[in-house]
Amino acid sequence: MENLIGLLVLAPLLGAGILLCGGRALDRVGHWLGTLLAAVSFALGAVLFADMLGRDAEDRALDVTVFQWVPVGGFRADVGFHLDQLSMTFVLLITGVGTLIHLYSVGYMEHDERRRRFFGYLNLFLAAMLLLVVADNYLLLYVGWEGVGLASYLLIGFWQHKPSAATAAKKAFLVNRVGDVGLSIAIMLMFTTFGTFAFDPVLGDADRAGEGKLTAIGLMLLLAACGKSAQVPLQSWLGDAMEGPTPVSALIHAATMVTAGVYLITRSGAIFEGAPDAQLAVVTVGAVTLLFGAIVGCAKDDIKKALAGSTMSQIGYMVLAAGLGPIGYVFAIMHLVTHGFFKAGLFLGAGSVMHGMNDEVDMRRYGGLWRYMPVTFVTFGLGYLAIIGFPGLSGFFSKDKIIEAAFAKGGTEGWILGGTALLGAAITAYYMTRVMIMTFFGEKRWAPAPSPDRPSAEPAAEKHGDGTHGAGELPHPHESPKSMTIPMILLAVGSVFAGGLFTLNDTFLKWLEPVTGHEEGDSPVSALTVTGATMAVLVVGVALAWAQYGRKPVPVTPPRGSLLTRAARRDLLQDDFNHIVLVRGGEQLTRGLEAIDRTVVDGAVNGTAVTVGGLSGRMRRLQNGYARSYAVSMFGGAAVLIAATLLMRAV
């Protein structure tokens, strides 16, 4: 069974190599090959999962060393894999949801001339993420971490002929590099502290290291997680990443990239538990981000960017739970999995709407689509109910558990975190109801198809539909093909049932507890009270959205809005902040360093040269070639010596 772990990664990696290097001969079958190899990886994961279920809870981990990677003196790094309940959960999510997104992409990218390359990049994305979660040491994890960054750059900028897509890809790449510096520093600190990168000795001996060292390592790991999982202050890339094809958005937000940070924090739990300050920083980042993303989602008219704000917020819930330690680890991963189902379904549903609406992304130009796209409406609606925490659906169970865990932190901190999580739930209900109403209900607000005067969000050359709409024509909404609707239906099933299955007899808790541990905490309120409060804020959020968008016509041109609304439309000024603090600050720092270099460094070097040159010029005058001058010099020198001698004798 151990040998199958490597094949998990090898299958999509092989697909990426074949599709990217195979040439145009594979254009007709490349998309099916990529989908097949993703499905093979899922099948291997299912076999390993079945074998793991047949073992005792404490004997389920599998370890295999493939080869010695870097043996240099006392330094040793292996390519080895570790598969336990935590990594197995991610394997099934990545390959299962990833395969459905591959299948969806067959129809979505049908008319794209570079579809084979797109599927090669998708396979590369899966391979890198799988390597990240099955690595048995932090250095190999770093390889997968960087591979995910590369694949995201290639996919976000897939339509690089669009300046906005090329810019978004560069932005995502650079912002993530900031986080990657944190991970690289953390790995260096691990080696100097523990003498190894492997999980078992590092995490097993964490309690023997000093709190100061653990705090430094924990903060650097948090910085890395902020980059990959789009948490404050490294969240600015996520909204712009919507410039990529919609299947990319679904893959990044649901199954791969943004979940990496949550995995890193949970896997490194022993480090954070030994560093209370770092753990407090994790909780703070999660709490701030869940509100930040929710507020941004309230003001976006672009359906994909509204969902991007939602992802930022929901990942904030997971980071908050992971920062609670053993109280919240299990629930962070539970919400990550349920979120994988409903968020993938929501993004694929958004892509289906765009498919039928001439690639329009502005929800103010939708309206009344439930009649024309019934499958999309139902599947998207189920994802909507799941994310707002409607009773009985998956989000109800996982998000409620996080809110309970936040209160269970105890003391003032518990009340603050629990209140923040409840407020986030209310805002989630508001902005997702807004998305639902503006897209599927109300009057038609359709706009003509893209024309030279009004380009579409995705160029006409890259259309995904049947190509029947000409420029200047109103869209003719229609249901997407089965290759797109079948994945949406399967994800909707997960959105409905996953949470209930996880909480039945504490199934998911018992599954992860041997790896993550679990503590009940000390909650000042009962679980029933938390559920009641969550339902109350859900109703308030839905009612506010219905009053604002359901009972009134939705204007095609957005109103000016309040100061907060205008700031939220600009992502709460995060780009402005980065420009002022980082860009301008960097420019000023560069100018200051250049001035120091010019005046101090160059001044010292040039001053030395001028001094030596001046002295040399003056000394050169003594060497004039005239014998009488030399005789006078010798006479003068002799006179000085005689005078000095006589003076010394007189004294």
Side-chain angles (χ1 to χ4, degrees):
M1 281 296 169
E2 290 84 352
N3 295 330
L4 295 183
I5 303 176
L7 294 178
L8 275 173
V9 182
L10 183 60
L13 185 61
L14 179 64
I18 293 173
L19 293 175
L20 296 176
C21 302
R24 294 187 176 278
L26 294 172
D27 282 354
R28 293 186 177 181
V29 297
H31 49 289
W32 290 116
L33 177 62
T35 304
L36 174 63
L37 288 172
V40 166
S41 190
F42 174 69
L44 292 171
V47 171
L48 287 165
F49 176 61
D51 176 72
M52 189 175 285
L53 287 177
R55 301 170 182 261
D56 293 334
E58 289 73 21
D59 191 36
R60 285 174 171 168
L62 296 175
D63 291 280
V64 56
T65 299
V66 182
F67 59 87
Q68 287 189 1
W69 180 16
V70 187
V72 180
F75 175 86
R76 174 177 171 177
D78 294 336
V79 171
F81 301 130
H82 175 77
L83 190 68
D84 58 14
Q85 293 92 316
L86 177 60
S87 48
M88 187 78 253
T89 301
F90 277 83
V91 164
L92 294 176
L93 176 67
I94 294 163
T95 57
V97 175
T99 299
L100 293 177
I101 292 173
H102 274 70
L103 180 60
Y104 177 94
S105 301
V106 171
Y108 191 85
M109 301 295 289
E110 180 179 2
H111 299 286
D112 195 293
E113 296 178 354
R114 299 163 61 228
R115 181 166 61 167
R116 170 182 54 83
R117 180 175 296 182
F118 179 78
F119 276 81
Y121 293 159
L122 287 183
N123 272 195
L124 179 63
F125 212 154
L126 287 193
M129 190 64 193
L130 286 170
L131 178 62
L132 191 158
V133 299
V134 300
D136 73 346
N137 63 83
Y138 283 97
L139 192 61
L140 187 59
L141 179 150
Y142 185 77
V143 175
W145 192 273
E146 291 299 319
V148 168
L150 171 63
S152 66
Y153 169 78
L154 295 171
L155 285 167
I156 293 170
F158 184 73
W159 289 321
Q160 68 265 29
H161 55 273
K162 294 168 53 182
S164 57
T167 301
K170 289 187 288 185
K171 184 177 182 180
F173 191 81
L174 291 174
V175 173
N176 272 273
R177 294 294 71 72
V178 177
D180 295 350
V181 169
L183 182 56
S184 63
I185 293 174
I187 293 173
M188 295 176 197
L189 290 173
M190 288 176 192
F191 187 75
T192 58
T193 303
F194 303 102
T196 181
F197 308 109
F199 290 151
D200 285 345
V202 169
L203 301 177
D205 295 338
D207 56 346
R208 300 181 183 178
E211 184 177 324
K213 291 183 178 180
L214 292 181
T215 299
I217 295 173
L219 290 176
M220 290 300 100
L221 291 175
L222 174 59
L223 180 63
C226 287
K228 276 291 183 288
S229 294
Q231 299 293 284
V232 171
L234 299 180
Q235 79 286 10
S236 62
W237 64 271
L238 192 63
D240 292 353
M242 299 304 97
E243 291 293 336
T246 300
V248 176
S249 304
L251 194 60
I252 288 176
H253 288 247
T256 55
M257 188 166 179
V258 297
T259 65
V262 181
Y263 171 80
L264 181 65
I265 294 172
T266 305
R267 174 63 75 187
S268 308
I271 293 174
F272 288 98
E273 289 165 31
D277 291 339
Q279 199 170 46
L280 177 61
V282 174
V283 171
T284 303
V285 165
V288 170
T289 307
L290 77 86
L291 292 180
F292 189 105
I295 293 171
V296 168
C298 291
K300 293 296 185 181
D301 294 327
D302 183 320
I303 187 171
K304 290 173 66 177
K305 290 190 175 182
L307 294 178
S310 169
T311 297
M312 194 186 306
S313 178
Q314 298 305 307
I315 299 294
Y317 272 102
M318 301 171 206
V319 171
L320 167 62
L324 296 173
I327 299 174
Y329 288 142
V330 172
F331 306 130
I333 304 303
M334 182 191 297
H335 193 55
L336 185 148
V337 176
T338 60
H339 177 265
F341 284 111
F342 57 69
K343 184 52 63 69
L346 289 169
F347 266 110
L348 297 188
S352 180
V353 170
M354 293 165 58
H355 171 272
M357 291 294 291
N358 296 343
D359 292 326
E360 179 64 75
V361 296
D362 189 345
M363 294 184 292
R364 293 184 180 275
R365 298 181 181 275
Y366 292 163
L369 293 181
W370 70 272
R371 299 182 182 88
Y372 306 91
M373 310 178 73
V375 176
T376 300
F377 168 64
V378 171
T379 55
F380 192 98
L382 290 173
Y384 152 73
L385 292 175
I387 194 174
I388 68 173
F390 190 82
L393 275 71
S394 60
F396 167 78
F397 296 100
S398 58
K399 190 183 295 184
D400 260 29
K401 289 294 185 182
I402 291 179
I403 298 174
E404 290 175 21
F407 279 109
K409 182 67 174 177
T412 304
E413 185 179 351
W415 283 105
I416 293 174
L417 295 176
T420 300
L422 278 175
L423 178 59
I427 303 175
T428 300
Y430 171 82
Y431 70 71
M432 284 306 306
T433 303
R434 174 180 181 268
V435 170
M436 195 72 188
I437 292 173
M438 292 178 71
T439 302
F440 294 102
F441 296 100
E443 299 297 325
K444 302 175 184 178
R445 303 180 300 277
W446 305 346
S451 65
D453 296 329
R454 182 180 169 272
S456 68
E458 294 175 1
E462 307 291 353
K463 285 193 69 60
H464 327 109
D466 52 18
T468 58
H469 306 316
E473 296 182 6
L474 284 174
H476 301 285
H478 55 279
E479 194 54 85
S480 300
K482 289 185 178 179
S483 63
M484 295 171 65
T485 56
I486 290 175
M488 291 159 56
I489 292 171
L490 294 175
L491 290 169
V493 172
S495 300
V496 173
F497 296 109
L501 293 176
F502 287 164
T503 55
L504 183 64
N505 296 323
D506 291 329
T507 302
F508 199 74
L509 191 154
K510 295 175 182 176
W511 166 255
L512 277 185
E513 188 174 7
V515 179
T516 62
H518 180 67
E519 296 176 4
E520 291 297 331
D522 184 20
S523 179
V525 295
S526 66
L528 184 61
T529 302
V530 171
T531 299
T534 305
M535 291 300 97
V537 299
L538 184 153
V539 171
V540 170
V542 171
L544 287 176
W546 176 256
Q548 188 171 355
Y549 295 95
R551 300 183 61 183
K552 302 176 183 177
V554 177
V556 175
T557 302
R560 179 176 174 82
S562 65
L563 181 62
L564 178 60
T565 300
R566 297 197 299 273
R569 288 174 185 154
R570 297 178 60 181
D571 300 326
L572 292 180
L573 309 180
Q574 55 184 311
D575 285 331
D576 302 82
F577 176 83
N578 290 342
H579 184 76
I580 293 172
V581 175
L582 301 179
V583 177
R584 290 186 180 176
E587 290 174 350
Q588 294 297 328
L589 177 62
T590 301
R591 291 193 186 100
L593 293 175
E594 189 272 337
I596 293 173
D597 180 70
R598 184 177 63 253
T599 59
V600 178
V601 179
D602 286 352
V605 173
N606 295 335
T608 302
V610 170
T611 301
V612 172
L615 291 174
S616 299
R618 286 170 174 77
M619 293 181 67
R620 194 163 51 243
R621 296 175 185 175
L622 301 176
Q623 304 293 326
N624 54 22
Y626 294 111
R628 60 180 179 271
S629 296
Y630 299 155
V632 171
S633 299
M634 293 169 64
F635 178 79
V640 170
L641 289 173
I642 292 170
T645 302
L646 293 174
L647 181 62
M648 290 177 64
R649 286 183 178 182
V651 173

